[in-house]
Amino acid sequence: MDAILAFLTVFTRPDLFALVALGTFAGVYVGAIPGLSVTMAVSILISFTFSWDVLPAIALMIGIYMGGVYGGSRTAILLNIPGAPSAIATALDGYPMARRGQAGEAIGITTVMSFIGGFVGIAVLAVAAPFVSDFALSFQPRDYMLLAVLGLLLVGSLAGESLVKGIFCGALGLMLGSVGMDPLTFTERFTFDLPLLQSGISFIAVMIGLFGVSEALSQLHDIDKAAVRQTIARIVPSWSTVRKHLPLSMQTSTLGVIIGALPGTGGDIAALMAYDHAKRVTRNPERPFGDGAIEGLVAPETANNAAVGGAFIPMMTLGIPGDAVTAIMIGALFIHGLNPGPMLMVEQPDMFWFIVGALVLANFCMLLFGLTGIKLFVKIVEMPRTVLVPLIMLLSIVGAYAVNNSITDVYWMLGFGVFGYFLKLYGYPLGPIILGVILSRLLDDNWRRAILSERGSLGDFFIGMVTSPLSLVLFLSVIFIFISQTPPWKRWRQRREALRAKSDPARPAAAKTSEEKI
Amino acid sequence: MKFHSLFAAALAAGVAFAASPSLAQDYPTKEIQGIIQWGAGGSTDTVMRAVTPKAEEVLGQSIVLQNVTGGVGAIALNKVASGKADGYTLLMGAENPLLYKVMGLGTKDYSDFVPIAILARGTPILVARPDAPFDTYEEMMAYIKDHPDEVKFGSTGPGGLPSVVSSMIADAEGGLPVTFIPYDGDGPALTALQSKAIDVMPAVLGAAIEAVKAGKMKPLAVVTNDKVDQLPDVEPISKANEKFSKYLPWGPFFGVFVPKGTPEDAISKLEDAYKQAGEQDSFKQLMDNRGYTLMNISGKEAEDFMTKWQSSTTWLLQDAGMTKKSPEEFDIPKPE
């Protein structure tokens, strides 16, 4: 009974209701502008809400968090600049849709799927938090390393026409991610004694450059062509569309919750892994992946919003942050006199249910704000390129500067923009570079921790890999995914599909297009 | 810049609005920047964001806080040190810069700054995973002697709290044959402790206290001369071995600094503002909950504190062979 009352607090108190709504609205726009991050906004709110009561402060932060994670998709779809790292995978198919005049449809499906993903995340938080946090804590450094290896295999999905070029770009990304002072030993790597390189290359600057600026430069080729007319007949996806993608969205939401609950991995990795999953399980996409497949939007957007609920799981049950934003919220709870830790749920279950309630409300607000104003936003893509290209450049520069208030980051961003343009021109995929940068720390740090834990013995390391059930499952997944990308396996699959098509003439011959793309 | 500061200013405007503008006569006439050395959500960040709103009220100006991370905080320190010494840029940091020189992380440290306030000091504690095969510090040492290199200690890189505490133990006990597993902060390392990836972690009391109370971690000893109020059942480490008392009390600290050469007027106003902010009950309560010892000192007292801290810590690390350069090179006196 108390739990229900605490859950409903946010709906019954008008001030809290308004703060969640306001936060979500602001979050959508904070999230949409590259460089303005939810982390930044929430940390500013700590000082701002210092003298408030704890409930309004948390309500506002939750709104911003939920809205912000969704907001990143907006610019990813319209301009090919992911507003946040977790929207990278969204750009891969969202932007091609916008270029074909389906920006409204893309935003619509993204919004609905974010809502579904967010809801799954909250539901898991509400009913299974202790269970999931125990599972998340069972991940050892070796398992994190295997997860990173699993992530690296995504290069296969992101590579496009040439796997060799994809692997090259993935390796380049890994190297870029290791530049700077190694945070474990404080040894400098690839810095050439330049103070400039000491703190590493800003990952956000690389992302904005590779996606935004290189796109702006490519658009210069067609500067005279008329902009694509956008059809905005259908914004809210039909029930049949939603139902068709429901199985996939449930799978990717689950993936999102778990990756979100792991301390040390968040929405960005969740979204990319979900994208890869979608590509593997979807037999017949209406359009090939990378060319505007709806599944390519469904997967990352459900996963990154499900990761929000996931991130709260270790925070609420153990006082361990699931990501950067929940880390700040733990600080906020401290400041307001609560002691977030394993006892919080025991001593103050009301707080838990209040947060669940606020998340539910924020999720509804996100749906509402996401579906309104789409017509206006879509106009951005209809602007003449002479206006659009400078706009992308402006947004990219502002975004790169805002991350660390550093002009150096702007130079990096521009440099990577030009570099990315040439890569694109010669058919090198840009996705794997970002993937490499995201995964390099996870892979590098955890490999070192894992091997140090075994005191440098490679034999013990492999014995551990096959004796721990979790490691074994991850290890087998790595092997299976690897084999499933090899030519003999694909030939076997094609033969099997051909046989099946013969025996069942109604069924069209397999999803060849997507298979061959890999 | 525009977006970030506009955004921050818009939010901070509410705070500035509440303050009375009549207090501002000479300094401060414009908004002040606060550069935090560590990332959002860390302990330095939390402390600074908690104490600053009151200081803003006293000064009658907004202080826009910004996290500048990287290089163990050296990036932020160098940024403030190379800026104007006009009192409009504050450095908000922890103890690490006092080790930069010997660790080869930079040529500047707090000796290029004037301390406005050293707010609080943390207490280190030694915690183990709940099913570790030892319950006290003595049992742990005995176990380590019988099983060399088997026990996994968490660390946060050279110069971090775990490395200093481990050096103390190695020095007092004549060696500490364990395997160190590096993490990029005590938060991730304590998470690893709970997932049994490591066995023992020297951490700051405030970061571990909630998990200790809930039985998710086992306290072995507090690294102090006397018992602490927050965990009255835990023995101090110097009770197990008297040799520890020569290093203690030791702990990480948080402070606010301005570059040398800042006008006296600005320094005294800032000192006053942070003194008042540090004395608020809500801040004291927060520090107490997190297991920090309130200090709230400034001027000569703060400088003396840091001189002593630097001398004892750098020489300890030097003797443990963890430094890149000897403290002697920087005229850091050896403690008696």
Side-chain angles (χ1 to χ4, degrees):
Chain A
M1 194 59 210
D2 282 351
I4 295 169
L5 279 179
F7 175 81
L8 290 175
T9 320
V10 75
F11 298 93
T12 51
R13 270 180 57 182
D15 59 329
L16 296 177
F17 192 97
L19 281 170
V20 172
L22 179 76
T24 316
F25 186 77
V28 172
Y29 296 94
V30 167
I33 298 170
L36 277 192
S37 67
V38 180
T39 318
M40 197 187 275
V42 174
S43 63
I44 290 170
L45 282 180
I46 288 224
S47 299
F48 185 64
T49 59
F50 180 71
S51 56
W52 297 14
D53 281 338
V54 62
L55 294 188
I58 294 290
L60 190 58
M61 287 179 193
I62 284 181
I64 294 227
Y65 188 16
M66 205 65 172
V69 170
Y70 158 76
S73 67
R74 205 41 78 87
T75 30
I77 292 170
L78 294 172
L79 301 171
N80 201 34
I81 316 174
S86 57
I88 290 168
T90 314
L92 299 175
D93 281 285
Y95 184 64
M97 277 184 87
R99 292 198 74 168
R100 277 209 324 273
Q102 298 173 319
E105 196 187 333
I107 295 179
I109 191 101
T110 296
T111 311
V112 172
M113 286 302 156
S114 295
F115 173 76
I116 293 177
F119 191 73
V120 172
I122 299 164
V124 174
L125 170 68
V127 302
F131 172 74
V132 175
S133 74
D134 279 352
F135 177 65
L137 270 191
S138 67
F139 274 66
Q140 299 293 305
R142 187 178 50 231
D143 306 314
Y144 278 106
M145 188 209 92
L146 286 168
L147 203 62
V149 174
L150 210 56
L152 275 183
L153 293 177
L154 265 70
V155 166
S157 291
L158 301 176
E161 56 203 40
S162 158
L163 185 59
V164 176
K165 286 177 180 172
I167 292 174
F168 167 78
C169 288
L172 180 70
L174 282 178
M175 199 200 79
L176 289 175
S178 63
V179 172
M181 202 182 276
D182 163 38
L184 302 188
T185 59
F186 301 154
T187 312
E188 293 184 20
R189 299 191 289 193
F190 303 117
T191 59
F192 308 101
D193 283 332
L194 295 170
L196 174 76
L197 288 169
Q198 227 182 36
S199 55
I201 300 170
S202 161
F203 156 58
I204 306 285
V206 175
M207 181 187 86
I208 296 174
L210 287 180
F211 279 81
V213 172
S214 77
E215 178 58 29
L217 294 174
S218 310
Q219 294 237 355
L220 291 177
H221 288 287
D222 321 308
I223 196 90
D224 297 330
K225 285 190 196 151
V228 188
R229 291 287 303 159
Q230 295 288 334
T231 49
I232 29 180
R234 157 133 264 152
I235 286 177
V236 182
S238 68
W239 171 237
S240 66
T241 314
V242 174
R243 205 176 49 191
K244 184 180 163 205
H245 298 297
L246 208 55
L248 176 65
S249 64
M250 287 301 133
Q251 291 162 21
T252 49
S253 298
T254 314
L255 190 73
V257 182
I258 293 170
I259 305 240
L262 289 177
T265 55
D268 46 356
I269 294 177
L272 283 163
M273 290 195 127
Y275 182 80
D276 183 59
H277 176 79
K279 209 166 166 179
R280 214 187 325 278
V281 299
T282 308
R283 314 304 300 266
N284 288 320
E286 279 158 35
R287 298 192 70 88
F289 277 91
D291 196 25
I294 292 205
E295 289 83 356
L297 285 176
V298 171
E301 282 302 315
T302 43
N304 65 23
N305 281 78
V308 173
F312 275 96
I313 290 175
M315 166 183 164
M316 296 311 297
T317 51
L318 299 167
I320 293 171
D323 67 354
V325 179
T326 41
I328 301 170
M329 282 198 204
I330 288 180
L333 290 179
F334 265 124
I335 287 179
H336 288 285
L338 291 163
N339 291 320
M343 299 307 284
L344 185 72
M345 261 176 92
V346 183
E347 286 168 0
Q348 271 153 326
D350 285 3
M351 194 61 196
F352 175 76
W353 289 109
F354 169 75
I355 286 181
V356 173
L359 281 165
V360 170
L361 178 62
N363 206 27
F364 277 107
C365 290
M366 179 195 82
L367 184 69
L368 183 73
F369 296 137
L371 291 177
T372 47
I374 291 184
K375 283 184 185 156
L376 199 65
F377 270 98
V378 165
K379 289 264 184 293
I380 294 175
V381 201
E382 286 188 341
M383 284 192 291
R385 289 200 167 83
T386 43
V387 179
L388 195 59
V389 171
L391 182 77
I392 297 179
M393 291 299 292
L394 184 73
L395 212 59
S396 301
I397 291 171
V398 169
Y401 186 82
V403 183
N404 287 322
N405 284 17
S406 140
I407 194 76
T408 323
D409 283 356
V410 177
Y411 298 144
W412 278 120
M413 187 277 296
L414 291 173
F416 274 100
V418 174
F419 181 59
Y421 166 74
F422 282 106
L423 285 178
K424 239 172 157 169
L425 212 56
Y426 291 102
Y428 286 85
L430 301 179
I433 302 185
I434 299 287
L435 181 77
V437 179
I438 292 182
L439 292 174
S440 73
R441 284 282 311 277
L442 190 68
L443 181 72
D444 179 32
D445 294 359
N446 286 298
W447 154 247
R448 281 150 67 192
R449 282 176 202 140
I451 197 75
L452 277 171
S453 304
E454 306 292 352
R455 286 182 275 162
S457 157
L458 211 54
D460 287 347
F461 175 76
F462 279 106
I463 290 171
M465 193 122 85
V466 291
T467 48
S468 146
L470 181 61
S471 302
L472 188 64
V473 168
L474 287 167
F475 183 58
L476 291 178
S477 311
V478 169
I479 293 185
F480 171 74
I481 291 178
F482 190 79
I483 289 176
S484 72
Q485 310 268 2
T486 54
W489 175 272
K490 281 189 200 163
R491 274 200 298 275
W492 178 77
R493 267 278 286 274
Q494 270 173 11
R495 252 202 322 269
R496 206 183 58 168
E497 292 290 349
L499 279 175
R500 204 183 285 170
K502 226 185 275 171
S503 59
D504 178 12
R507 197 186 148 97
K512 263 184 127 179
T513 37
S514 74
E515 290 287 312
E516 274 162 9
K517 275 237 138 182
I518 299 168
Chain B
M1 165 82 194
K2 280 286 178 295
F3 259 94
H4 180 200
S5 61
L6 270 182
F7 184 58
L11 284 176
V15 179
F17 201 66
S20 124
S22 64
L23 281 173
Q25 294 149 359
D26 314 322
Y27 171 89
T29 54
K30 55 173 184 178
E31 119 193 338
I32 301 165
Q33 274 213 315
I35 310 288
I36 302 174
Q37 269 188 335
W38 293 96
S43 35
T44 313
D45 183 66
T46 311
V47 168
M48 293 307 166
R49 287 183 194 275
V51 75
T52 298
K54 177 73 181 176
E56 285 178 317
E57 205 181 304
V58 177
L59 288 167
Q61 270 294 345
S62 54
I63 301 175
V64 179
L65 299 179
Q66 188 195 338
N67 302 90
V68 176
T69 59
V72 209
I75 310 271
L77 182 117
N78 292 339
K79 184 179 165 137
V80 179
S82 59
K84 271 195 216 158
D86 55 4
Y88 288 99
T89 315
L90 314 179
L91 176 72
M92 303 176 161
E95 74 287 355
N96 320 66
L98 293 179
L99 303 176
Y100 287 168
K101 286 179 176 167
V102 292
M103 287 296 174
L105 292 171
T107 52
K108 289 196 165 81
D109 66 10
Y110 285 144
S111 57
D112 300 282
F113 286 80
V114 178
I116 293 296
I118 290 180
L119 294 162
R121 177 165 58 80
T123 304
I125 183 173
L126 215 52
V127 285
R129 62 184 167 88
D131 49 354
F134 36 76
D135 292 322
T136 62
Y137 173 75
E138 287 94 338
E139 284 176 39
M140 179 190 85
M141 285 317 298
Y143 187 88
I144 289 174
K145 282 210 174 86
D146 293 342
H147 304 80
D149 293 337
E150 245 178 51
V151 175
K152 284 177 272 188
F153 261 55
S155 80
T156 56
L161 178 145
S163 73
V164 176
V165 172
S166 303
S167 303
M168 283 180 196
I169 300 176
D171 195 48
E173 304 280 348
L176 182 66
V178 294
T179 302
F180 290 100
I181 313 290
Y183 284 86
D184 39 358
D186 59 355
L190 288 171
T191 304
L193 187 81
Q194 292 179 64
S195 69
K196 298 173 191 171
I198 55 176
D199 303 308
V200 179
M201 176 72 192
V204 64
L205 181 65
I209 192 163
E210 285 303 314
V212 167
K213 281 182 186 163
K216 301 268 176 188
M217 293 174 193
K218 195 152 59 176
L220 300 175
V222 281
V223 187
T224 51
N225 283 324
D226 305 297
K227 286 188 176 181
V228 296
D229 295 339
Q230 289 89 352
L231 292 172
D233 301 333
V234 184
E235 292 294 336
I237 200 165
S238 53
K239 196 176 158 236
N241 187 335
E242 275 182 8
K243 284 187 193 157
F244 280 105
S245 54
K246 71 171 166 178
Y247 314 113
L248 301 173
W250 182 90
F253 61 86
F254 306 110
V256 179
F257 303 84
V258 288
K260 275 228 163 96
T262 301
E264 280 303 322
D265 173 50
I267 291 178
S268 62
K269 278 184 177 152
L270 284 167
E271 277 181 359
D272 176 52
Y274 274 94
K275 182 138 250 156
Q276 288 189 39
E279 276 168 5
Q280 313 164 80
D281 286 340
S282 58
F283 184 71
K284 281 185 182 163
Q285 178 87 43
L286 171 74
M287 290 292 99
D288 197 48
N289 278 349
R290 298 212 73 173
Y292 291 111
T293 312
L294 208 66
M295 296 179 72
N296 213 353
I297 53 172
S298 57
K300 179 89 173 56
E301 202 183 351
E303 276 170 21
D304 289 346
F305 170 80
M306 288 197 293
T307 310
K308 185 162 173 272
W309 196 99
Q310 189 175 36
S311 140
S312 64
T313 314
T314 50
W315 279 102
L316 176 68
L317 291 170
Q318 168 73 12
D319 293 341
M322 294 183 95
T323 51
K324 288 214 174 110
K325 288 176 183 163
S326 165
E328 229 164 3
E329 284 181 49
F330 308 103
D331 297 323
I332 299 172
K334 197 165 185 163
E336 295 86 39

